[in-house]
Amino acid sequence: EDKVVQSPLSLVVHEGDTVTLNCSYEVTNFRSLLWYKQEKKAPTFLFMLTSSGIEKKSGRLSSILDKKELFSILNITATQTGDSAIYLCAVDSGGYQKVTFGTGTKLQVIP
Amino acid sequence: EAGVTQSPTHLIKTRGQQATLRCSPISGHTSVYWYQQALGLGLQFLLWYDEGEERNRGNFPPRFSGRQFPNYSSELNVNALELEDSALYLCASSSRPPYTGELFFGEGSRLTVL
């Protein structure tokens, strides 16, 4: 059974801090790793990673994948209160219908 | 462009009743996916519909069922409701190939079973 584990489960930081969210996985047929942000209800797509060692960036967010060690990290620099959300990691092992989600990391950024 | 829309936003039922949730995908998307997000758990895959057919289902009992209509909207039915069915039910749609990894989610339907 495919498995995705995220850590920490939750964290509270102050505005301006840098945070690192972790995601480890065990899947039978890895195709890609996905990150989503869930602010209220609807998760929104952040990144798709398929190759080891290649960083994906979008503004203050960046992510990298290590396929040998089976993990990924999501970094957020200079955090803002608008970054407060649940960050979901997921692994695709066979298309959209074979996406396994982790339980998420709940990030709270306080002023 | 309108996003994925779901209704109702909230639904309260009692044990043993049936619940029906609805989803309209983004225009041009033919695939619809249903997920359950219970408290403390990750998104659990329920069902996948494409071109009117059920293509795959997750590890859920048969009382979870649904269908997809010719306009690609979808309905999720949950029969014989149990307390543990209380959750946020999210619908998502995907674009046609090539695969991008991106699922477009609706705002969800919060089902409470009393």
Side-chain angles (χ1 to χ4, degrees):
Chain A
E1 186 179 319
D2 295 346
K3 191 175 172 183
V4 177
V5 178
Q6 294 186 245
S7 65
L9 291 179
S10 67
L11 72 163
V12 180
V13 301
H14 287 94
E15 268 192 318
D17 288 350
T18 293
V19 298
T20 298
L21 310 183
N22 304 297
C23 175
S24 62
Y25 61 90
E26 294 175 27
V27 297
T28 51
N29 181 29
F30 178 87
R31 288 181 23 153
S32 63
L33 187 138
L34 312 165
W35 284 97
Y36 282 83
K37 177 182 181 182
Q38 187 176 24
E39 288 183 76
K40 290 180 183 176
K41 292 181 180 178
T44 53
F45 178 77
L46 293 173
F47 298 114
M48 178 173 77
L49 301 117
T50 55
S51 302
S52 271
I54 298 178
E55 187 181 51
K56 287 278 183 94
K57 289 197 77 169
S58 177
R60 296 175 293 102
L61 277 68
S62 64
S63 182
I64 198 159
L65 173 67
D66 185 328
K67 288 169 73 172
K68 183 180 175 185
E69 299 299 327
L70 308 183
F71 80 89
S72 173
I73 59 172
L74 176 68
N75 282 316
I76 309 175
T77 59
T79 52
Q80 302 171 358
T81 55
D83 295 325
S84 296
I86 296 172
Y87 290 84
L88 299 168
C89 174
V91 175
D92 159 32
S93 59
Y96 296 109
Q97 77 280 11
K98 291 280 188 183
V99 174
T100 302
F101 283 84
T103 53
T105 293
K106 184 176 181 179
L107 172 67
Q108 185 181 358
V109 182
I110 54 178
Chain B
E1 181 184 88
V4 175
T5 57
Q6 291 188 244
S7 65
T9 306
H10 294 92
L11 191 60
I12 299 175
K13 294 283 187 178
T14 56
R15 284 176 59 189
Q17 285 189 311
Q18 180 199 37
T20 298
L21 311 177
R22 295 178 179 84
C23 170
S24 292
I26 289 174
S27 177
H29 289 187
T30 61
S31 278
V32 169
Y33 309 81
W34 287 95
Y35 285 87
Q36 181 195 68
Q37 189 176 30
L39 198 62
L41 298 177
L43 275 70
Q44 305 290 318
F45 169 71
L46 268 164
L47 290 158
W48 171 35
Y49 291 96
D50 182 62
E51 298 286 357
E53 300 284 332
E54 181 181 305
R55 301 294 183 181
N56 198 15
R57 67 181 293 128
N59 190 24
F60 281 85
R63 57 191 186 82
F64 287 84
S65 65
R67 54 181 171 165
Q68 187 177 35
F69 299 98
N71 66 353
Y72 304 115
S73 66
S74 177
E75 198 173 83
L76 173 69
N77 295 296
V78 188
N79 294 316
L81 285 166
E82 300 178 2
L83 296 177
E84 52 265 35
D85 296 333
S86 294
L88 180 67
Y89 289 84
L90 291 163
C91 170
S93 68
S94 63
S95 59
R96 294 180 184 275
Y99 176 77
T100 64
E102 183 172 7
L103 285 168
F104 296 84
F105 285 89
E107 292 290 324
S109 293
R110 172 79 61 189
L111 173 63
T112 301
V113 183
L114 302 175

